[in-house]
Amino acid sequence: MNYTDGTPAAGIPVTISIDGHEYTVITDENGHYQFDDLKDLSAGESYHIEAALDGFIAEADVTAEDISGAGGDNPTVDLPLQLLNTKLADLNKDGKINIADFTLLTNAYGTATGQSGFDERADINKDGKVNIADLAMLGSYWKI
Ligand SMILES: [Ca+2]
Ligand SMILES: [Ca+2]
């Protein structure tokens, strides 16, 4: 799949840091990634995961509960983790995600294609309407 701006979801490096070492996996065609062979975590510990490409966020806090087979030979994180494309949240394409993008969306909120006030830049999921779905997407990207 591609993101709505045309960026392919596949092939994006994502790294996990464990005890000072970094391990990298590459996203599949759905923008998902997973890490295998992780060592056990104690309660309250978590792994730090981040996307190694500008414009993307790997959205994950991996805690002890996310690791299956803990205590065995092959503890695995098998939840499919989704990568976020932060460039989609830069609605006015000025390289920043800030209040200006939020304002652009709220100004067009509730409109559909052809209506006055509609701004296709605010229609993040490209379904022809600016509504709660777009606002939710903007909110999910707005974590930097
Ligand atoms: Ca912007
Ligand atoms: Ca929309």
Side-chain angles (χ1 to χ4, degrees), residues 38 41 46 60-69 76-79 81:
L38 295 177
L41 287 171
S46 65
D61 274 323
V62 177
T63 62
E65 291 102 66
D66 297 319
I67 297 179
S68 56
T76 299
V77 172
D78 56 8
L79 71 168
L81 302 168

Side-chain angles (χ1 to χ4, degrees), residues 89-98 100-101:
D90 183 15
L91 302 181
N92 62 3
K93 305 299 177 200
D94 67 351
K96 293 175 234 158
I97 299 167
N98 58 24
D101 303 301

Side-chain angles (χ1 to χ4, degrees), residues 39-51:
K39 74 178 180 71
D40 296 347
L41 287 171
S42 306
E45 289 184 314
S46 65
Y47 287 128
H48 179 62
I49 292 177
E50 64 182 36

